[in-house]
Amino acid sequence: SQKIEQNSEALNIQEGKTATLTCNYTNYSPAYLQWYRQDPGRGPVFLLLIRENEKEKRKERLKVTFDTTLKQSLFHITASQPADSATYLCARGRASGGSYIPTFGRGTSLIVHP
Amino acid sequence: DGGITQSPKYLFRKEGQNVTLSCEQNLNHDAMYWYRQDPGQGLRLIYYSQIVNDFQKGDIAEGYSVSREKKESFPLTVTSAQKNPTAFYLCASSIHLFGTGSSYEQYFGPGTRLTVT
């Protein structure tokens, strides 16, 4: 099956450090992966998309990598701030009954301490 | 302001009652989705729709029903057959459904927290 796995343990880091979150996938490599941020009690917000043929994508303090050998995507937040504290979700497309639907990981909670 | 609205934000029902959750979008998106989220869990897909008058079951459709009579609207009914209906429900939309060669970001609504006692 085509699954997405994210570390369920919360990541605690100090303000100013770089946070690195991991998304592992099973089965064949998806054509792309998406990353979302979710704050408590709210809907997720799209952050970044990286395609299979892109090794790295950046947006301001965010960086995403895609390693098809390791079947893994890493999500980095540099110079982290307490406002970055949230749950970060990884998503891939999954073939299902002739359609191609999104499937999400459980998300990893990031806590940035001042 | 473009976006997705869900109402109500909190909903309380007695066991055995059907309840309908509202989802409206003014983004002119073709695809719409319903997810369920339980504490500490990821998003699980209930139903999705690629176009008007068409919808497909997701991973956990049992006990739920949907309709897509208008492009902007995709209401979800939680029926009495759903064994554990208490959860946070999220509606989302994207320009099109995910494709093998393309990916479309999803826009999520604020969610409805349903409590059934």
PDB file of all heavy atoms in Angstrom, chain B residues 9-36:
ATOM      1  N   LYS B   9     -19.208  25.659  13.784  1.00  0.00           N
ATOM      2  CA  LYS B   9     -17.877  25.330  14.271  1.00  0.00           C
ATOM      3  C   LYS B   9     -17.947  24.197  15.312  1.00  0.00           C
ATOM      4  O   LYS B   9     -17.084  23.327  15.354  1.00  0.00           O
ATOM      5  CB  LYS B   9     -17.217  26.557  14.902  1.00  0.00           C
ATOM      6  CG  LYS B   9     -15.742  26.341  15.230  1.00  0.00           C
ATOM      7  CD  LYS B   9     -15.048  27.655  15.493  1.00  0.00           C
ATOM      8  CE  LYS B   9     -13.576  27.436  15.837  1.00  0.00           C
ATOM      9  NZ  LYS B   9     -12.849  26.805  14.730  1.00  0.00           N
ATOM     10  N   TYR B  10     -18.982  24.244  16.140  1.00  0.00           N
ATOM     11  CA  TYR B  10     -19.205  23.186  17.127  1.00  0.00           C
ATOM     12  C   TYR B  10     -20.623  22.658  16.959  1.00  0.00           C
ATOM     13  O   TYR B  10     -21.556  23.443  16.747  1.00  0.00           O
ATOM     14  CB  TYR B  10     -19.037  23.717  18.555  1.00  0.00           C
ATOM     15  CG  TYR B  10     -17.658  24.238  18.852  1.00  0.00           C
ATOM     16  CD1 TYR B  10     -17.371  25.594  18.749  1.00  0.00           C
ATOM     17  CD2 TYR B  10     -16.643  23.370  19.234  1.00  0.00           C
ATOM     18  CE1 TYR B  10     -16.100  26.074  19.016  1.00  0.00           C
ATOM     19  CE2 TYR B  10     -15.364  23.844  19.507  1.00  0.00           C
ATOM     20  CZ  TYR B  10     -15.101  25.191  19.391  1.00  0.00           C
ATOM     21  OH  TYR B  10     -13.846  25.656  19.654  1.00  0.00           O
ATOM     22  N   LEU B  11     -20.776  21.355  17.076  1.00  0.00           N
ATOM     23  CA  LEU B  11     -22.074  20.735  16.892  1.00  0.00           C
ATOM     24  C   LEU B  11     -22.225  19.607  17.911  1.00  0.00           C
ATOM     25  O   LEU B  11     -21.320  18.781  18.066  1.00  0.00           O
ATOM     26  CB  LEU B  11     -22.177  20.175  15.475  1.00  0.00           C
ATOM     27  CG  LEU B  11     -23.520  19.728  14.922  1.00  0.00           C
ATOM     28  CD1 LEU B  11     -24.575  20.808  15.092  1.00  0.00           C
ATOM     29  CD2 LEU B  11     -23.371  19.359  13.461  1.00  0.00           C
ATOM     30  N   PHE B  12     -23.376  19.616  18.570  1.00  0.00           N
ATOM     31  CA  PHE B  12     -23.651  18.581  19.574  1.00  0.00           C
ATOM     32  C   PHE B  12     -24.921  17.841  19.180  1.00  0.00           C
ATOM     33  O   PHE B  12     -25.907  18.463  18.804  1.00  0.00           O
ATOM     34  CB  PHE B  12     -23.823  19.218  20.960  1.00  0.00           C
ATOM     35  CG  PHE B  12     -22.593  19.935  21.431  1.00  0.00           C
ATOM     36  CD1 PHE B  12     -22.391  21.267  21.125  1.00  0.00           C
ATOM     37  CD2 PHE B  12     -21.641  19.270  22.181  1.00  0.00           C
ATOM     38  CE1 PHE B  12     -21.239  21.928  21.553  1.00  0.00           C
ATOM     39  CE2 PHE B  12     -20.502  19.915  22.622  1.00  0.00           C
ATOM     40  CZ  PHE B  12     -20.298  21.242  22.297  1.00  0.00           C
ATOM     41  N   ARG B  13     -24.873  16.536  19.241  1.00  0.00           N
ATOM     42  CA  ARG B  13     -26.028  15.726  18.874  1.00  0.00           C
ATOM     43  C   ARG B  13     -26.151  14.543  19.824  1.00  0.00           C
ATOM     44  O   ARG B  13     -25.171  14.096  20.423  1.00  0.00           O
ATOM     45  CB  ARG B  13     -25.890  15.188  17.446  1.00  0.00           C
ATOM     46  CG  ARG B  13     -26.246  16.161  16.369  1.00  0.00           C
ATOM     47  CD  ARG B  13     -27.718  16.503  16.377  1.00  0.00           C
ATOM     48  NE  ARG B  13     -28.084  17.406  15.302  1.00  0.00           N
ATOM     49  CZ  ARG B  13     -28.060  18.720  15.391  1.00  0.00           C
ATOM     50  NH1 ARG B  13     -27.651  19.300  16.515  1.00  0.00           N
ATOM     51  NH2 ARG B  13     -28.416  19.461  14.362  1.00  0.00           N
ATOM     52  N   LYS B  14     -27.370  14.057  19.896  1.00  0.00           N
ATOM     53  CA  LYS B  14     -27.633  12.842  20.662  1.00  0.00           C
ATOM     54  C   LYS B  14     -27.375  11.635  19.772  1.00  0.00           C
ATOM     55  O   LYS B  14     -27.599  11.693  18.545  1.00  0.00           O
ATOM     56  CB  LYS B  14     -29.086  12.815  21.129  1.00  0.00           C
ATOM     57  CG  LYS B  14     -29.444  13.903  22.120  1.00  0.00           C
ATOM     58  CD  LYS B  14     -28.837  13.617  23.470  1.00  0.00           C
ATOM     59  CE  LYS B  14     -29.324  14.623  24.501  1.00  0.00           C
ATOM     60  NZ  LYS B  14     -28.581  14.479  25.773  1.00  0.00           N
ATOM     61  N   GLU B  15     -26.939  10.569  20.401  1.00  0.00           N
ATOM     62  CA  GLU B  15     -26.718   9.326  19.661  1.00  0.00           C
ATOM     63  C   GLU B  15     -28.012   8.902  18.964  1.00  0.00           C
ATOM     64  O   GLU B  15     -29.107   9.045  19.520  1.00  0.00           O
ATOM     65  CB  GLU B  15     -26.287   8.243  20.657  1.00  0.00           C
ATOM     66  CG  GLU B  15     -25.631   7.039  20.026  1.00  0.00           C
ATOM     67  CD  GLU B  15     -25.093   6.086  21.074  1.00  0.00           C
ATOM     68  OE1 GLU B  15     -24.491   6.570  22.058  1.00  0.00           O
ATOM     69  OE2 GLU B  15     -25.299   4.876  20.914  1.00  0.00           O
ATOM     70  N   GLY B  16     -27.857   8.389  17.745  1.00  0.00           N
ATOM     71  CA  GLY B  16     -29.027   7.930  17.004  1.00  0.00           C
ATOM     72  C   GLY B  16     -29.602   8.958  16.046  1.00  0.00           C
ATOM     73  O   GLY B  16     -30.481   8.638  15.246  1.00  0.00           O
ATOM     74  N   GLN B  17     -29.108  10.196  16.125  1.00  0.00           N
ATOM     75  CA  GLN B  17     -29.600  11.247  15.229  1.00  0.00           C
ATOM     76  C   GLN B  17     -28.646  11.428  14.056  1.00  0.00           C
ATOM     77  O   GLN B  17     -27.423  11.360  14.219  1.00  0.00           O
ATOM     78  CB  GLN B  17     -29.708  12.581  15.983  1.00  0.00           C
ATOM     79  CG  GLN B  17     -30.763  12.599  17.062  1.00  0.00           C
ATOM     80  CD  GLN B  17     -30.796  13.940  17.789  1.00  0.00           C
ATOM     81  OE1 GLN B  17     -29.795  14.653  17.843  1.00  0.00           O
ATOM     82  NE2 GLN B  17     -31.945  14.284  18.355  1.00  0.00           N
ATOM     83  N   ASN B  18     -29.208  11.673  12.887  1.00  0.00           N
ATOM     84  CA  ASN B  18     -28.381  12.061  11.751  1.00  0.00           C
ATOM     85  C   ASN B  18     -28.054  13.544  11.887  1.00  0.00           C
ATOM     86  O   ASN B  18     -28.861  14.325  12.433  1.00  0.00           O
ATOM     87  CB  ASN B  18     -29.130  11.844  10.437  1.00  0.00           C
ATOM     88  CG  ASN B  18     -29.310  10.378  10.114  1.00  0.00           C
ATOM     89  OD1 ASN B  18     -28.840   9.506  10.832  1.00  0.00           O
ATOM     90  ND2 ASN B  18     -30.009  10.105   9.024  1.00  0.00           N
ATOM     91  N   VAL B  19     -26.903  13.947  11.372  1.00  0.00           N
ATOM     92  CA  VAL B  19     -26.534  15.362  11.409  1.00  0.00           C
ATOM     93  C   VAL B  19     -25.807  15.703  10.110  1.00  0.00           C
ATOM     94  O   VAL B  19     -25.037  14.898   9.598  1.00  0.00           O
ATOM     95  CB  VAL B  19     -25.661  15.670  12.645  1.00  0.00           C
ATOM     96  CG1 VAL B  19     -24.381  14.847  12.639  1.00  0.00           C
ATOM     97  CG2 VAL B  19     -25.342  17.137  12.735  1.00  0.00           C
ATOM     98  N   THR B  20     -26.082  16.895   9.580  1.00  0.00           N
ATOM     99  CA  THR B  20     -25.461  17.335   8.325  1.00  0.00           C
ATOM    100  C   THR B  20     -24.516  18.494   8.575  1.00  0.00           C
ATOM    101  O   THR B  20     -24.903  19.498   9.193  1.00  0.00           O
ATOM    102  CB  THR B  20     -26.529  17.742   7.299  1.00  0.00           C
ATOM    103  OG1 THR B  20     -27.325  16.591   6.994  1.00  0.00           O
ATOM    104  CG2 THR B  20     -25.868  18.236   6.016  1.00  0.00           C
ATOM    105  N   LEU B  21     -23.287  18.331   8.080  1.00  0.00           N
ATOM    106  CA  LEU B  21     -22.261  19.371   8.194  1.00  0.00           C
ATOM    107  C   LEU B  21     -22.174  20.112   6.860  1.00  0.00           C
ATOM    108  O   LEU B  21     -22.112  19.490   5.798  1.00  0.00           O
ATOM    109  CB  LEU B  21     -20.904  18.746   8.527  1.00  0.00           C
ATOM    110  CG  LEU B  21     -20.625  18.342   9.977  1.00  0.00           C
ATOM    111  CD1 LEU B  21     -21.669  17.374  10.506  1.00  0.00           C
ATOM    112  CD2 LEU B  21     -19.234  17.741  10.102  1.00  0.00           C
ATOM    113  N   SER B  22     -22.113  21.423   6.959  1.00  0.00           N
ATOM    114  CA  SER B  22     -22.111  22.245   5.755  1.00  0.00           C
ATOM    115  C   SER B  22     -20.693  22.567   5.297  1.00  0.00           C
ATOM    116  O   SER B  22     -19.793  22.764   6.122  1.00  0.00           O
ATOM    117  CB  SER B  22     -22.867  23.549   6.059  1.00  0.00           C
ATOM    118  OG  SER B  22     -22.631  24.494   5.065  1.00  0.00           O
ATOM    119  N   CYS B  23     -20.483  22.610   3.983  1.00  0.00           N
ATOM    120  CA  CYS B  23     -19.210  23.030   3.404  1.00  0.00           C
ATOM    121  C   CYS B  23     -19.501  23.791   2.110  1.00  0.00           C
ATOM    122  O   CYS B  23     -20.154  23.265   1.201  1.00  0.00           O
ATOM    123  CB  CYS B  23     -18.317  21.841   3.105  1.00  0.00           C
ATOM    124  SG  CYS B  23     -16.763  22.305   2.310  1.00  0.00           S
ATOM    125  N   GLU B  24     -19.032  25.030   2.052  1.00  0.00           N
ATOM    126  CA  GLU B  24     -19.225  25.876   0.872  1.00  0.00           C
ATOM    127  C   GLU B  24     -17.891  26.479   0.461  1.00  0.00           C
ATOM    128  O   GLU B  24     -17.107  26.892   1.313  1.00  0.00           O
ATOM    129  CB  GLU B  24     -20.191  27.025   1.182  1.00  0.00           C
ATOM    130  CG  GLU B  24     -21.551  26.595   1.696  1.00  0.00           C
ATOM    131  CD  GLU B  24     -22.495  26.220   0.578  1.00  0.00           C
ATOM    132  OE1 GLU B  24     -22.351  26.779  -0.522  1.00  0.00           O
ATOM    133  OE2 GLU B  24     -23.376  25.368   0.812  1.00  0.00           O
ATOM    134  N   GLN B  25     -17.631  26.536  -0.864  1.00  0.00           N
ATOM    135  CA  GLN B  25     -16.409  27.183  -1.365  1.00  0.00           C
ATOM    136  C   GLN B  25     -16.761  28.131  -2.504  1.00  0.00           C
ATOM    137  O   GLN B  25     -17.654  27.846  -3.301  1.00  0.00           O
ATOM    138  CB  GLN B  25     -15.370  26.133  -1.809  1.00  0.00           C
ATOM    139  CG  GLN B  25     -15.857  25.143  -2.845  1.00  0.00           C
ATOM    140  CD  GLN B  25     -15.426  25.406  -4.257  1.00  0.00           C
ATOM    141  OE1 GLN B  25     -14.780  26.419  -4.553  1.00  0.00           O
ATOM    142  NE2 GLN B  25     -15.754  24.481  -5.153  1.00  0.00           N
ATOM    143  N   ASN B  26     -16.039  29.256  -2.548  1.00  0.00           N
ATOM    144  CA  ASN B  26     -16.234  30.216  -3.635  1.00  0.00           C
ATOM    145  C   ASN B  26     -14.955  30.392  -4.433  1.00  0.00           C
ATOM    146  O   ASN B  26     -14.690  31.469  -4.979  1.00  0.00           O
ATOM    147  CB  ASN B  26     -16.739  31.552  -3.080  1.00  0.00           C
ATOM    148  CG  ASN B  26     -15.751  32.183  -2.117  1.00  0.00           C
ATOM    149  OD1 ASN B  26     -14.661  31.656  -1.895  1.00  0.00           O
ATOM    150  ND2 ASN B  26     -16.124  33.312  -1.539  1.00  0.00           N
ATOM    151  N   LEU B  27     -14.164  29.328  -4.482  1.00  0.00           N
ATOM    152  CA  LEU B  27     -12.886  29.342  -5.193  1.00  0.00           C
ATOM    153  C   LEU B  27     -13.009  28.828  -6.618  1.00  0.00           C
ATOM    154  O   LEU B  27     -12.020  28.773  -7.341  1.00  0.00           O
ATOM    155  CB  LEU B  27     -11.877  28.477  -4.419  1.00  0.00           C
ATOM    156  CG  LEU B  27     -11.601  28.938  -2.985  1.00  0.00           C
ATOM    157  CD1 LEU B  27     -10.868  27.862  -2.201  1.00  0.00           C
ATOM    158  CD2 LEU B  27     -10.785  30.229  -3.009  1.00  0.00           C
ATOM    159  N   ASN B  28     -14.202  28.384  -6.992  1.00  0.00           N
ATOM    160  CA  ASN B  28     -14.453  27.804  -8.309  1.00  0.00           C
ATOM    161  C   ASN B  28     -13.640  26.531  -8.534  1.00  0.00           C
ATOM    162  O   ASN B  28     -13.211  26.237  -9.653  1.00  0.00           O
ATOM    163  CB  ASN B  28     -14.158  28.815  -9.438  1.00  0.00           C
ATOM    164  CG  ASN B  28     -14.849  28.424 -10.737  1.00  0.00           C
ATOM    165  OD1 ASN B  28     -15.938  27.846 -10.722  1.00  0.00           O
ATOM    166  ND2 ASN B  28     -14.224  28.725 -11.854  1.00  0.00           N
ATOM    167  N   HIS B  29     -13.430  25.789  -7.452  1.00  0.00           N
ATOM    168  CA  HIS B  29     -12.689  24.540  -7.533  1.00  0.00           C
ATOM    169  C   HIS B  29     -13.596  23.397  -7.954  1.00  0.00           C
ATOM    170  O   HIS B  29     -14.752  23.319  -7.536  1.00  0.00           O
ATOM    171  CB  HIS B  29     -12.066  24.209  -6.173  1.00  0.00           C
ATOM    172  CG  HIS B  29     -10.877  25.053  -5.862  1.00  0.00           C
ATOM    173  ND1 HIS B  29     -10.239  25.004  -4.633  1.00  0.00           N
ATOM    174  CD2 HIS B  29     -10.186  25.948  -6.596  1.00  0.00           C
ATOM    175  CE1 HIS B  29      -9.214  25.825  -4.650  1.00  0.00           C
ATOM    176  NE2 HIS B  29      -9.167  26.429  -5.828  1.00  0.00           N
ATOM    177  N   ASP B  30     -13.032  22.473  -8.743  1.00  0.00           N
ATOM    178  CA  ASP B  30     -13.800  21.309  -9.161  1.00  0.00           C
ATOM    179  C   ASP B  30     -13.875  20.251  -8.065  1.00  0.00           C
ATOM    180  O   ASP B  30     -14.905  19.626  -7.866  1.00  0.00           O
ATOM    181  CB  ASP B  30     -13.160  20.670 -10.407  1.00  0.00           C
ATOM    182  CG  ASP B  30     -13.453  21.461 -11.665  1.00  0.00           C
ATOM    183  OD1 ASP B  30     -14.491  22.129 -11.723  1.00  0.00           O
ATOM    184  OD2 ASP B  30     -12.627  21.404 -12.597  1.00  0.00           O
ATOM    185  N   ALA B  31     -12.748  20.008  -7.396  1.00  0.00           N
ATOM    186  CA  ALA B  31     -12.665  18.893  -6.455  1.00  0.00           C
ATOM    187  C   ALA B  31     -12.934  19.343  -5.027  1.00  0.00           C
ATOM    188  O   ALA B  31     -12.484  20.411  -4.597  1.00  0.00           O
ATOM    189  CB  ALA B  31     -11.286  18.234  -6.534  1.00  0.00           C
ATOM    190  N   MET B  32     -13.669  18.521  -4.312  1.00  0.00           N
ATOM    191  CA  MET B  32     -13.934  18.780  -2.900  1.00  0.00           C
ATOM    192  C   MET B  32     -13.779  17.477  -2.129  1.00  0.00           C
ATOM    193  O   MET B  32     -13.962  16.381  -2.679  1.00  0.00           O
ATOM    194  CB  MET B  32     -15.325  19.371  -2.690  1.00  0.00           C
ATOM    195  CG  MET B  32     -15.482  20.748  -3.328  1.00  0.00           C
ATOM    196  SD  MET B  32     -17.017  21.570  -2.918  1.00  0.00           S
ATOM    197  CE  MET B  32     -16.709  22.097  -1.226  1.00  0.00           C
ATOM    198  N   TYR B  33     -13.437  17.622  -0.833  1.00  0.00           N
ATOM    199  CA  TYR B  33     -13.106  16.458  -0.002  1.00  0.00           C
ATOM    200  C   TYR B  33     -13.663  16.638   1.407  1.00  0.00           C
ATOM    201  O   TYR B  33     -13.778  17.756   1.899  1.00  0.00           O
ATOM    202  CB  TYR B  33     -11.587  16.323   0.142  1.00  0.00           C
ATOM    203  CG  TYR B  33     -10.778  16.496  -1.108  1.00  0.00           C
ATOM    204  CD1 TYR B  33     -10.489  17.763  -1.606  1.00  0.00           C
ATOM    205  CD2 TYR B  33     -10.256  15.396  -1.790  1.00  0.00           C
ATOM    206  CE1 TYR B  33      -9.728  17.937  -2.748  1.00  0.00           C
ATOM    207  CE2 TYR B  33      -9.490  15.560  -2.925  1.00  0.00           C
ATOM    208  CZ  TYR B  33      -9.230  16.830  -3.399  1.00  0.00           C
ATOM    209  OH  TYR B  33      -8.474  16.990  -4.533  1.00  0.00           O
ATOM    210  N   TRP B  34     -13.919  15.510   2.049  1.00  0.00           N
ATOM    211  CA  TRP B  34     -14.232  15.503   3.478  1.00  0.00           C
ATOM    212  C   TRP B  34     -13.248  14.577   4.184  1.00  0.00           C
ATOM    213  O   TRP B  34     -13.024  13.433   3.744  1.00  0.00           O
ATOM    214  CB  TRP B  34     -15.655  14.998   3.752  1.00  0.00           C
ATOM    215  CG  TRP B  34     -16.686  16.071   3.705  1.00  0.00           C
ATOM    216  CD1 TRP B  34     -17.591  16.303   2.720  1.00  0.00           C
ATOM    217  CD2 TRP B  34     -16.919  17.069   4.708  1.00  0.00           C
ATOM    218  NE1 TRP B  34     -18.376  17.382   3.041  1.00  0.00           N
ATOM    219  CE2 TRP B  34     -17.990  17.866   4.254  1.00  0.00           C
ATOM    220  CE3 TRP B  34     -16.331  17.372   5.947  1.00  0.00           C
ATOM    221  CZ2 TRP B  34     -18.488  18.943   4.983  1.00  0.00           C
ATOM    222  CZ3 TRP B  34     -16.832  18.425   6.668  1.00  0.00           C
ATOM    223  CH2 TRP B  34     -17.903  19.202   6.192  1.00  0.00           C
ATOM    224  N   TYR B  35     -12.682  15.114   5.288  1.00  0.00           N
ATOM    225  CA  TYR B  35     -11.761  14.343   6.115  1.00  0.00           C
ATOM    226  C   TYR B  35     -12.276  14.299   7.541  1.00  0.00           C
ATOM    227  O   TYR B  35     -12.968  15.203   7.997  1.00  0.00           O
ATOM    228  CB  TYR B  35     -10.380  15.001   6.158  1.00  0.00           C
ATOM    229  CG  TYR B  35      -9.626  15.006   4.857  1.00  0.00           C
ATOM    230  CD1 TYR B  35      -9.734  16.079   3.987  1.00  0.00           C
ATOM    231  CD2 TYR B  35      -8.774  13.956   4.515  1.00  0.00           C
ATOM    232  CE1 TYR B  35      -9.027  16.093   2.800  1.00  0.00           C
ATOM    233  CE2 TYR B  35      -8.056  13.963   3.331  1.00  0.00           C
ATOM    234  CZ  TYR B  35      -8.193  15.039   2.480  1.00  0.00           C
ATOM    235  OH  TYR B  35      -7.491  15.053   1.309  1.00  0.00           O
ATOM    236  N   ARG B  36     -11.838  13.289   8.218  1.00  0.00           N
ATOM    237  CA  ARG B  36     -12.091  13.185   9.654  1.00  0.00           C
ATOM    238  C   ARG B  36     -10.733  13.158  10.353  1.00  0.00           C
ATOM    239  O   ARG B  36      -9.783  12.517   9.864  1.00  0.00           O
ATOM    240  CB  ARG B  36     -12.838  11.887   9.932  1.00  0.00           C
ATOM    241  CG  ARG B  36     -12.938  11.515  11.385  1.00  0.00           C
ATOM    242  CD  ARG B  36     -13.582  10.165  11.589  1.00  0.00           C
ATOM    243  NE  ARG B  36     -13.501   9.823  12.999  1.00  0.00           N
ATOM    244  CZ  ARG B  36     -14.488   9.296  13.692  1.00  0.00           C
ATOM    245  NH1 ARG B  36     -15.650   9.025  13.102  1.00  0.00           N
ATOM    246  NH2 ARG B  36     -14.335   9.011  14.965  1.00  0.00           N
TER     247      ARG B  36
END
